[in-house]
């Protein structure tokens, strides 16, 4: 891990996704690896932490996940908008997108999946929970989060901390056609 990344307690892993960011899904099997963008992911259980993510069954990513039983979920910061759009706009079947786009990856601490830290706010290492019906019918995959880490400049003590001085790490939210909104302007609720 880079010096700015710190482990996230698994009981707080759901908070990395509960605000609906666009994510980068990483996968690898048999010497092949891939990264793709996904706009639909969410936490579904706190303990153990479990997520749901939509990954089309025709993608190279789904092929690698089916073969390996695991994947990574990396949460890109606003500085990676161009890269996020690029990896979501081409297939990994045509070549290694990590090499094509110069993406550095580290091996996850539990499952060894490729994970991205540079320009990302956080990552989660996930073990697939086979649910064939939902995978086939709805392209929805379920997974247990087995490890998580976040850049402490934007997420620490189980909470997001979005400020002007860390804007490059604010999460992206896909609006369609290569347009993203950046998470910002936190509004803190007051007790009533």
């Amino acid at each position: 891990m880079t010096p700015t990344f710190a482990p996230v307690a698994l009981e707080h892993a759901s908070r990395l996704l509960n605000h609906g960011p666009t994510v980068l899904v990483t996968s690898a099997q048999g010497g092949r690896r891939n990264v793709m963008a996904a706009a639909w992911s969410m936490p579904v259980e706190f303990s153990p932490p479990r997520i749901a993510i939509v990954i089309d069954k025709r993608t190279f990513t789904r092929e690698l996940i089916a073969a390996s039983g695991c994947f990574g979920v990396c949460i890109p910061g606003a500085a990676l908008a161009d890269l996020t759009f690029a990896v979501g706009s081409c297939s990994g079947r045509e070549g290694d997108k990590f090499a094509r786009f110069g993406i550095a990856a580290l091996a996850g601490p539990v499952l060894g999946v490729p994970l991205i830290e540079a320009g990302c706010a956080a990552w989660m290492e996930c073990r697939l929970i086979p649910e064939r019906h939902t995978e086939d019918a709805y392209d929805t995959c379920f997974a247990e989060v087995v490890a998580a880490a976040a850049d402490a400049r934007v997420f620490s003590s189980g909470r997001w901390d979005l400020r002007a001085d860390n804007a490059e790490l604010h999460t992206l939210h896909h609006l369609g056609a290569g347009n993203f909104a950046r998470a910002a302007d936190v509004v803190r609720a007051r007790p009533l």
Side-chain angles (χ1 to χ4, degrees):
M1 272 190 279
T2 59
T4 59
F5 266 68
V8 170
L10 290 180
E11 69 259 19
H12 296 157
S14 65
R15 294 178 183 172
L16 297 173
L17 288 181
N18 68 357
H19 66 297
T22 297
V23 299
L24 300 175
V25 180
T26 59
S27 54
Q29 175 63 28
R32 301 180 306 162
R33 61 186 181 167
N34 196 39
V35 56
M36 65 165 272
W40 296 341
S41 63
M42 65 181 196
V44 295
E45 196 166 330
F46 296 113
S47 183
R50 294 183 179 152
I51 66 166
I53 189 164
V54 175
I55 306 170
D56 189 293
K57 70 182 72 50
R58 297 166 295 188
T59 64
F60 185 50
T61 295
R62 274 285 291 277
E63 179 183 318
L64 294 176
I65 292 171
S68 69
C70 56
F71 59 94
V73 175
C74 304
I75 303 170
L80 293 186
D82 294 342
L83 179 69
T84 300
F85 184 66
V87 301
S89 300
C90 62
S91 173
R93 290 192 206 302
E94 299 161 6
D96 184 332
K97 288 192 259 182
F98 286 91
R100 177 178 176 182
F101 295 108
I103 303 168
L106 58 101
V110 176
L111 304 171
V113 299
L115 298 169
I116 304 165
E117 287 188 347
C120 284
W123 55 254
M124 295 183 287
E125 195 173 21
C126 303
R127 179 178 292 118
L128 182 68
I129 300 169
E131 292 287 346
R132 299 294 177 231
H133 173 71
T134 57
E135 292 170 21
D136 293 342
Y138 308 109
D139 290 327
T140 302
C141 299
F142 291 93
E144 181 176 344
V145 178
V146 298
D151 191 314
R153 295 174 295 175
V154 73
F155 187 94
S156 63
S157 301
R159 304 256 187 265
W160 287 99
D161 184 16
L162 306 176
R163 306 178 314 268
D165 68 327
N166 63 15
E168 75 282 355
L169 293 171
H170 293 187
T171 58
L172 295 169
H173 303 266
H174 191 245
L175 302 176
N179 296 301
F180 297 91
R182 180 176 52 87
D185 300 328
V186 174
V187 177
R188 185 174 304 274
R190 294 176 307 191
L192 297 179

